[in-house]
Amino acid sequence: MTIKKAVFPAAGFGTRFLPATKAIPKEMLPLVDKPLIQYAVEEAKASGLKEMIIVTGMGKTAIEDHFDTSFELEILLKERGKTALLKEIEEVSGLVHFAYTRQKKPLGLGHAISITRNLINDEAFAVFLGDDIIDAKVPAMKQMIGVHKEYKTSVLAVQRVNKKDAHLYGVIKGEQVAPGVFRVLDLVEKPKENPPSNLAIIGRYILTPGIFDALERTRPGKGGEIQLTDALKILLETEDIYAYEFEGNRYDAGDKLGFLKANVSLALKRPELRAEFKKFLKQLGF
Ligand code: UTP
């Protein structure tokens, strides 16, 4: 069965970006001229997914407005003959369907996913954490769908990190079964020492519906939150899980430095900005 649905957990408070995120959702912070969450939605679209399920929370209505049609704005752009901009605005909300569900309290990423159960039913689905921006020739999720088609299991996106940074991630212990593909033997959330490998879990997942029962059995972990990694460990008791080392550059835009890096490198890829921006960076001495 093909994967049609994408879940975007977006109910976190985004404390690393305070005070910017006090009144504006982190997902709406712009990289060049598009909000963070739009990059993830575009990746989902480009990977063939048709139904976008966004988990929102308090103060997140700007996300819904962003993906809604803006009748007044579209009329104004039409009147002013700004057809390129109009097309871009229409494309944001076109061709796919959006559904929103609200997480009443930020009880963790695992909890945010668990509340989508009645929207997903009994099929495998994709999860995108919008903080992770992946710039890739073939969209990262499309690459993962290829792996899912072959192995029919949950698939976790992984990337190699310096062992000294492993404590920032969920890390897998895996057995390589094909180029870039690993059968997961164990998962450790933010290992304090001796990480089982340098393969860190990144914010893209394909999950089988078995994850919902696993989430129900997951007790609150660090910070009283229901952690997805803990649920994946429970799922691993009954189902195989694979990990895939995707091809592409990834930026952690939920972190200040990563956000700045993403802005600079994405701006340098824009034909209309590239030359002038490069000149400016040179002037700064880079
Ligand atoms: P983060 O750990 O990045 O938390 O969540 P955060 O609140 O977004 O940001 P910081 O760390 O406070 O700066 C990872 C993902 O899980 C979602 C977040 O929106 C983000 O996409 N999330 C987290 C939820 O949807 N609900 C939660 O209860 C927690």
Side-chain angles (χ1 to χ4, degrees):
M1 213 159 112
T2 54
I3 294 176
K4 300 187 294 284
K5 295 179 183 175
V7 171
F8 301 82
F13 280 142
T15 52
R16 281 170 293 165
F17 262 103
L18 281 169
T21 46
K22 190 173 169 213
I24 296 169
K26 173 174 74 174
E27 295 73 19
M28 292 304 293
L29 296 178
L31 284 180
V32 191
D33 54 4
K34 281 191 258 182
L36 277 181
I37 194 163
Q38 190 174 333
Y39 287 88
V41 166
E42 285 180 356
E43 182 188 324
K45 250 176 157 179
S47 304
L49 305 177
K50 300 272 186 272
E51 290 184 46
M52 313 292 161
I53 298 166
I54 303 187
V55 182
T56 66
M58 204 181 66
K60 301 277 185 171
T61 47
I63 300 177
E64 292 179 45
D65 290 343
H66 183 71
F67 292 113
D68 199 0
T69 27
S70 174
F71 191 65
E72 295 85 348
L73 180 64
E74 287 173 23
I75 296 265
L76 183 104
L77 293 174
K78 215 175 268 172
E79 278 171 7
R80 297 196 178 164
K82 303 208 177 224
T83 41
L85 262 181
L86 178 64
K87 193 166 165 263
E88 207 171 306
I89 295 284
E90 283 173 341
E91 268 176 10
V92 177
S93 45
L95 299 174
V96 288
H97 178 260
F98 287 90
Y100 296 89
T101 184
R102 208 164 152 115
Q103 189 187 20
K104 291 192 183 108
K105 273 192 190 163
L107 296 176
L109 171 60
H111 180 258
I113 292 173
S114 74
I115 65 166
T116 66
R117 184 170 201 160
N118 59 350
L119 296 168
I120 301 285
N121 301 319
D122 205 20
E123 55 194 284
F125 61 102
V127 175
F128 292 75
L129 304 191
D131 282 3
D132 281 325
I133 299 290
I134 303 178
D135 184 19
K137 276 201 197 103
V138 177
M141 184 53 74
K142 194 170 183 178
Q143 299 175 38
M144 292 170 68
I145 289 173
V147 177
H148 173 77
K149 274 194 181 138
E150 180 149 1
Y151 296 93
K152 317 263 182 304
T153 62
S154 293
V155 180
L156 319 176
V158 289
Q159 192 181 41
R160 290 189 192 272
V161 295
N162 287 329
K163 277 211 169 172
K164 69 171 178 42
D165 295 330
H167 68 281
L168 300 168
Y169 298 89
V171 177
I172 66 151
K173 180 176 174 192
E175 169 199 22
Q176 186 154 9
V177 293
V181 184
F182 302 83
R183 191 166 73 83
V184 176
L185 304 174
D186 197 10
L187 304 122
V188 189
E189 179 66 9
K190 302 195 169 90
K192 283 202 184 82
E193 52 197 12
N194 302 326
S197 75
N198 62 351
L199 290 166
I201 303 172
I202 303 303
R204 299 288 183 275
Y205 308 80
I206 292 174
L207 300 173
T208 58
I211 195 68
F212 292 115
D213 282 341
L215 280 164
E216 261 177 31
R217 290 172 52 208
T218 306
R219 301 278 57 90
K222 276 183 194 142
E225 296 192 342
I226 307 279
Q227 305 285 352
L228 179 60
T229 313
D230 292 342
L232 287 167
K233 271 177 91 91
I234 293 176
L235 186 67
L236 196 55
E237 289 166 11
T238 52
E239 288 184 18
D240 277 347
I241 298 179
Y242 283 79
Y244 177 62
E245 196 181 348
F246 60 91
E247 284 172 27
N249 290 326
R250 168 250 175 192
Y251 303 95
D252 178 7
D255 164 81
K256 281 173 218 173
L257 187 59
F259 180 81
L260 292 169
K261 286 181 186 172
N263 252 311
V264 171
S265 68
L266 292 175
L268 285 171
K269 287 196 150 190
R270 290 292 188 87
E272 77 280 18
L273 297 173
R274 191 181 157 78
E276 281 295 314
F277 190 44
K278 241 181 148 175
K279 218 193 274 172
F280 171 71
L281 292 177
K282 269 211 182 110
Q283 275 168 14
L284 290 179
F286 300 109

